[in-house]
Amino acid sequence: MAKSHGSLRGIEAKIEYHPVFEELGVLYESWKRSAVNWMQTEKLSESFVEKRLMKHFNIQWAWADSIATEATQCLN
């Protein structure tokens, strides 16, 4: 593994490091910040945020669902 990020276990130990993972992480966090912002400022529901994420960022439902769920947890 090119980079070590602490003690890895399970499937994570078998995935080799690749820079794309960091880029995806940055995108994911950016999308999550957008979702939290929409929930706070526009008082949108989790399901509406999912739809907006899919349309606005052109991402699949699974990504949008995960992001909207985390955004809801951040606000609770």
Side-chain angles (χ1 to χ4, degrees):
M1 200 182 288
K3 258 188 182 178
S4 177
H5 294 286
S7 178
L8 299 176
R9 297 174 192 197
I11 190 68
E12 295 87 5
K14 297 178 183 180
I15 298 173
E16 289 192 36
Y17 170 81
H18 193 280
V20 75
F21 295 135
E22 288 186 28
E23 292 177 32
L24 280 173
V26 169
L27 278 173
Y28 188 90
E29 290 301 316
S30 174
W31 297 334
K32 188 168 74 171
R33 283 191 303 274
S34 294
V36 169
N37 186 39
W38 294 334
M39 287 178 166
Q40 285 180 322
T41 60
E42 300 176 34
K43 307 295 184 209
L44 301 179
S45 68
E46 185 174 335
S47 62
F48 195 83
V49 168
E50 285 176 17
K51 293 173 189 167
R52 191 178 222 181
L53 285 164
M54 289 188 295
K55 184 176 180 180
H56 191 78
F57 296 113
N58 193 28
I59 58 177
Q60 294 179 355
W61 173 83
W63 283 88
D65 180 57
S66 175
I67 293 165
T69 299
E70 283 194 36
T72 301
Q73 291 171 351
C74 284
L75 292 175
N76 289 338

